[in-house]
Amino acid sequence: MALDHNIVSVSGGKDSTALLLLAIERGAENMRTVFADTGHEHPEVYRYLDYLEARLQLTIERIKPDFSRQIARQREVVQTKWRAEGVSEQVIQNALAVLHPTGIPFLDLCMWKGRFPSMKARFCTTELKKKPIEEQVLAPLLNDPDTQDVYSWQGVRRDESPDRALLVEQEEIGDGLFAYRPILDWAAQDVFDFHRKHGVKWNPLYEQGMSRVGCMPCINCRKNELQAISKRYPEEVDRVAEWERLVSQASKRQGSSFFGPSKMPGSVKGLSHAEAQARLSIHNVVEWSMTGKGGRTFDLIAMLDPGEGCASAYGLCESAAGGN
Ligand code: SF4
């Protein structure tokens, strides 16, 4: 007899945890819980996933993409195409020196691409979350003749963003594959109440000033959130600064910043690419995050305001809405 399967995607955030609790409460059959690991999460997220596994007596499958093949191909491109284009030998050697897989998905993806994702080119969600779950979890199930339908549980809520307000609770998004969004009409408070009902702690990051859980920081993070991150977790900012060095070295133009020009006001017009990227370095953007409106005076009150999260149709990147 063909079976239905339920795949619950968790991020370590409050919404997907409530989603998981709901799936358990409803006794979802053939349930698997998956976490798309970007390698760009705060250590607290991994600790929280361990806590959930122990508390709920289940296994959370850590799904990771491997970009070794793409990086090997990029090395060939650097040695052939770049040389044919007249790129300087120094730049070629710089790139080859760092173009080796690290096993950290976010970093390897950016080194392969020679740049960081941006609002306009948000390849991070696709490459780090959507595709790995499709390829490693959903496709094998859908190709199995014993599978009837697959339900992809998504912890998105209408009040997070205008895009999410338009979503429907259930829709077929592929042959035999359904998106199921049972907490679409929940408010943030309902989500926290549901944790309490089940005696499950929410991620402690919410009590440390974070309004969202996920990549730290997200390319979309708001000024005040970046300020909070830099104050509480300066080591995460230093990590990204090191990634900027590596990704810059892997890039043909020898410059790439984590945040794009739209993050911080002030023109980069007239600057060379490398100069513009240096100006947009995460340490400079963090410094700007400490200033008040307009970027001129320092803001002494670290307010946390809601921001927009990743608009992944899979709901895998948690929105900034809500709080406790
Ligand atoms: S949380 Fe942000 S940085 Fe991370 S994958 Fe989603 S959009 Fe990209």
Side-chain angles (χ1 to χ4, degrees), residues 53-323:
E53 283 186 321
R55 173 70 185 75
L56 302 174
Q57 296 288 292
L58 49 72
T59 300
I60 298 175
E61 298 173 47
R62 272 76 160 170
I63 309 294
K64 262 188 178 187
D66 176 6
F67 296 109
S68 310
R69 204 170 31 84
Q70 291 89 335
I71 288 179
R73 210 167 52 228
Q74 181 63 8
R75 288 182 67 82
E76 284 172 27
V77 168
V78 169
Q79 292 174 86
T80 54
K81 200 160 167 244
W82 286 19
R83 271 212 178 93
E85 288 171 358
V87 174
S88 83
E89 196 55 33
Q90 185 61 59
V91 169
I92 288 171
Q93 292 309 323
N94 285 350
L96 291 176
V98 294
L99 271 171
H100 299 287
T102 65
I104 302 171
F106 200 108
L107 176 58
D108 286 352
L109 170 65
C110 297
M111 288 212 290
W112 159 39
K113 298 267 186 189
R115 59 166 294 182
F116 287 93
S118 65
M119 292 290 280
K120 281 191 187 151
R122 196 158 41 194
F123 52 80
C124 46
T125 310
T126 307
E127 295 288 347
L128 299 171
K129 300 196 169 191
K130 189 168 173 282
K131 268 167 74 173
I133 289 182
E134 277 177 359
E135 290 170 4
Q136 297 178 41
V137 180
L138 300 178
L141 276 177
L142 290 165
N143 291 333
D144 184 336
D146 289 335
T147 296
Q148 177 74 32
D149 290 322
V150 178
Y151 293 87
S152 170
W153 289 54
Q154 301 169 6
V156 289
R157 295 182 297 103
R158 265 186 228 289
D159 68 7
E160 293 176 295
S161 72
D163 282 347
R164 291 184 179 184
L166 300 174
L167 291 172
V168 293
E169 186 169 315
Q170 183 169 311
E171 63 180 316
E172 190 162 9
I173 54 175
D175 192 14
L177 175 62
F178 294 83
Y180 182 46
R181 308 175 182 110
I183 64 164
L184 202 53
D185 291 313
W186 291 27
Q189 192 56 50
D190 299 328
V191 167
F192 287 113
D193 289 347
F194 207 61
H195 283 66
R196 285 193 194 93
K197 176 185 168 189
H198 285 271
V200 168
K201 292 186 284 189
W202 47 78
N203 192 314
L205 286 172
Y206 292 112
E207 282 158 3
Q208 296 170 20
M210 295 299 101
S211 56
R212 59 175 294 284
V213 166
C215 290
M216 183 166 280
C218 170
I219 53 164
N220 300 331
C221 91
R222 290 288 177 94
K223 186 180 183 185
N224 292 336
E225 190 178 11
L226 182 60
Q227 186 184 80
I229 289 171
S230 69
K231 283 177 180 169
R232 276 201 181 259
Y233 318 113
E235 67 282 3
E236 301 297 329
V237 173
D238 290 343
R239 171 177 56 76
V240 172
E242 173 60 6
W243 287 9
E244 286 183 326
R245 186 186 70 75
L246 293 169
V247 176
S248 292
Q249 203 173 318
S251 74
K252 199 192 285 183
R253 298 205 279 180
Q254 297 286 281
S256 185
S257 56
F258 184 81
F259 292 115
S262 59
K263 174 62 63 189
M264 186 169 67
S267 176
V268 290
K269 260 190 195 154
L271 299 181
S272 69
H273 180 78
E275 286 168 341
Q277 297 304 320
R279 184 170 186 281
L280 293 167
S281 73
I282 190 158
H283 282 304
N284 284 349
V285 178
V286 162
E287 201 170 299
W288 162 78
S289 78
M290 302 295 177
T291 61
K293 237 181 177 171
R296 285 182 295 276
T297 56
F298 279 85
D299 183 2
L300 299 177
I301 304 167
M303 287 163 46
L304 284 170
D305 66 352
E308 281 177 33
C310 166
S312 158
Y314 278 67
L316 297 168
C317 302
E318 192 187 308
S319 163

